[in-house]
Amino acid sequence: MAAATPSVESAGNRARSSAALDFLKAGPKKLLIGGKWVAAKSGKTFETLNPATEEVLGLVGEGDKADVDEAVKAARKAFEEGQWSKIGPHQRARYLFKIADLIEQHADELAELETLDNGKAKTQALAIDVAGAAETFRYYGGWCSKIYGETNPSDPSMFNYTLREPVGVCGQIIPWNFPLLMASWKLGPALACGNTVILKPAEQTPITALRLGELILEAELPDGVVNIITGFGPGAGSSISEHPDIDKVAFTGSAEVGKIILKASAGNLKRVSLELGGKSPNIIFPDADLEQAVPGSMMGVFFNSGQVCCAGTRIFVQKEVYEKFNEQLTKFSAGMTMGDGLDPKTMMGPLVSKEQFDKVKGYLELGKKEGARVTVGGEAGSGKGYFVKPTVFADVNNNMRIAREEIFGPVAATIPFKDENDAVLQGNDTTYGLAAAVWTRDVGRAHKVARALKAGTVWVNCYNMLDPISPFGGYKQSGFGRELGRHALELYTNIKSVYVKL
Ligand code: NAI
Ligand code: MG
């Protein structure tokens, strides 16, 4: 997967995808259960909107408990019958490679669907979301044949070895900020390890997961291996986390819902992995190369309109360069092109929903009330669509609510610090611990600070770099478990120890 700092490619100049329009026009979307598209048992549907225009993009099946029950039956049957869990590793790999190929063949269409449903810039959807999803499936396809057990140094009268086996039926609940990419982070490792899945996309952005479901059928995965239930949190989501026959639940979203899921999973002691929010510190030392640090920090917080769990929302700048950094950040931020994601010039699209728009606007007011200084932005766009201008609050104190609570919008807070120790203390003074960054030319300081920061990912002289080769996840209330890398295999396997008497 590429860096999240967008490489604006020519793809955004292409005409609107007719394939995307055909998919949307094909009528209300259904649920994928046992290899078939079926309407929700209740017959209910809900609308998904284009956040740039507030127009209805399409109708989607509203799954609930009855549908989740059916999906679990299908996933259980597929798992126990072994057409997926017990096939050879090379064969399973081929299915994942095929999914990756199909995503690439339909890249333009998928990027366009993502832009229409989520609002993000299509150039970024193509370069980050779609390319990253294909890469993730391909990366985990490679792991199918490398999931090793161990032989252990047992007593000579015994032979002991371990097997890594799939966990079983997995429920996967994902958010709306990177809909297709999050689906790939969840499905890739689960499928590579031989599990079967019930995936629940976010209600704001169900479209690309459904198109991915069609591609998964085209790749001829056995029926019931991947089931997709669209619907709301209470209903479809809670039925997954409470279900007695789901063995594992993986969730990405708010810390608030993460706690609800953890409690709900206690019923049958599901294994749980949680990737929750963040309030990540991004630390700028005076010896940093500001030509890199300013635009890097800007994209670190404004990428995807700030709707990124690891966004660098608290920018700590050492006093000596504080004013200079703020001036440059303000200048760069004022130059960001905000608009419809389909426009190739757009660097920042709208927020995903009215709910998110209202939440972020509330924080703009709160920041002003708390006494922070707006250097750029500070208000919503006018007219249709959920647009909020890139906003920088200067003179922020780490105790203000805008420095403590996850805003999930294009809102940066710059906070001055005294010295290295002060930067680390303030940086770690948060309930979250998803990511952090440090900008300096002093190599010793870079590594020292990287060690001192309590975060699952630390970037040095860059921001938002993500690649399936490396684990991603949180310290503290940013959750537990590691996705991506070989570590995700631990989430989706059980270890069995076998003793053989010789
Ligand atoms: P959310 O946590 O409510 O939604 C994420 C997913 O969980 C969706 O698929 C939703 O349908 C599902 N869900 C909601 N309630 C559930 C329940 N009781 N049981 C099972 N599943 C449930 O997030 P929301 O409301 O969309 O956004 C609120 C805030 O959460 C954002 O403003 C942001 O701060 C944070 N967030 C963090 C994300 C991350 O990547 N860590 C992603 C999305 C939101
Ligand atoms: Mg919610």
Side-chain angles (χ1 to χ4, degrees), residues 385-448:
Y386 307 126
F387 294 94
V388 172
K389 292 182 182 162
T391 296
V392 176
F393 279 116
D395 302 338
V396 175
N397 175 313
N398 197 42
N399 294 319
M400 290 179 183
R401 279 180 58 200
I402 56 163
R404 303 208 75 81
E405 297 170 19
E406 183 172 61
I407 299 174
F408 234 61
V411 184
T414 69
I415 307 175
F417 69 87
K418 208 167 66 213
D419 56 18
E420 189 180 307
N421 189 42
D422 184 32
V424 168
L425 281 175
Q426 291 202 64
N428 284 338
D429 181 9
T430 167
T431 56
Y432 293 110
L434 193 55
V438 48
W439 299 78
T440 176
R441 287 179 168 118
D442 178 337
V443 82
R445 171 147 72 189
H447 291 289
K448 233 165 61 192

Side-chain angles (χ1 to χ4, degrees), residues 174-177 200 203 233 237 251 253-254 276 309 356 359 406:
I174 57 172
W176 41 260
N177 49 350
K200 194 201 90 63
E203 55 270 33
F251 171 74
S254 62
L276 309 174
C309 47
Q356 202 56 30
K359 175 181 167 184
E406 183 172 61

Side-chain angles (χ1 to χ4, degrees), residues 36 73 197 201 226 267 283 313 330 333 376 402 418 436 471 478 490:
K36 298 199 173 46
K73 273 187 216 150
V197 173
V226 175
I283 300 173
T313 45
T330 300
S333 304
V376 62
I402 56 163
K418 208 167 66 213
S478 291
E490 285 158 25

Side-chain angles (χ1 to χ4, degrees), residues 33-183:
I33 300 180
K36 298 199 173 46
W37 294 102
V38 294
K41 285 197 171 196
S42 66
K44 285 193 200 161
T45 57
F46 64 98
E47 292 175 346
T48 184
L49 305 183
N50 176 348
T53 62
E54 302 177 36
E55 288 160 350
V56 177
L57 202 56
L59 289 177
V60 178
E62 186 184 329
D64 60 21
K65 185 172 182 307
D67 307 290
V68 170
D69 284 344
E70 286 304 313
V72 173
K73 273 187 216 150
R76 175 59 62 192
K77 181 165 179 286
F79 183 74
E80 300 301 339
E81 285 178 356
Q83 314 99 310
W84 185 253
S85 57
K86 298 203 175 104
I87 60 174
H90 302 302
Q91 206 183 340
R92 199 151 62 227
R94 273 197 293 270
Y95 285 109
L96 295 189
F97 295 147
K98 178 81 187 175
I99 297 172
D101 291 345
L102 285 168
I103 290 173
E104 279 170 353
Q105 282 162 28
H106 296 275
D108 186 69
E109 175 193 354
L110 287 164
E112 184 137 335
L113 289 172
E114 203 72 304
T115 294
L116 291 169
D117 207 14
N118 165 283
K120 64 177 67 203
K122 185 179 167 187
T123 50
Q124 295 171 18
L126 202 55
I128 313 282
D129 302 66
V130 177
E135 228 158 76
T136 303
F137 277 106
R138 197 165 284 126
Y139 173 79
Y140 283 106
W143 270 113
C144 295
S145 55
K146 296 159 199 79
I147 301 171
Y148 294 100
E150 317 155 297
T151 59
N152 298 311
S154 48
D155 185 272
S157 65
M158 302 292 291
F159 172 47
N160 177 269
Y161 64 93
T162 58
L163 294 171
R164 258 188 192 275
E165 298 181 336
V167 174
V169 175
C170 300
Q172 305 186 314
I173 302 173
I174 57 172
W176 41 260
N177 49 350
F178 295 90
L180 182 70
L181 189 61
M182 288 300 110

Side-chain angles (χ1 to χ4, degrees), residues 224-271:
V225 171
V226 175
N227 304 276
I228 303 176
I229 303 289
T230 46
F232 294 91
S238 57
S239 307
I240 289 174
S241 50
E242 287 162 10
H243 204 287
D245 200 32
I246 291 182
D247 301 298
K248 186 219 153 44
V249 62
F251 171 74
T252 299
S254 62
E256 180 195 354
V257 172
K259 290 174 190 180
I260 295 172
I261 286 180
L262 191 57
K263 283 191 191 130
S265 64
N268 69 334
L269 289 175
K270 277 180 198 67
R271 293 162 152 236

Side-chain angles (χ1 to χ4, degrees), residues 469-502:
I469 57 152
S470 190
F472 184 78
Y475 281 37
K476 299 193 265 182
Q477 291 192 38
S478 291
F480 47 79
R482 289 292 177 273
E483 301 194 287
L484 301 185
R486 67 184 309 160
H487 299 271
L489 306 173
E490 285 158 25
L491 303 180
Y492 291 102
T493 50
N494 271 323
I495 298 175
K496 178 183 280 173
S497 170
V498 183
Y499 285 90
V500 183
K501 176 99 177 67
L502 300 177

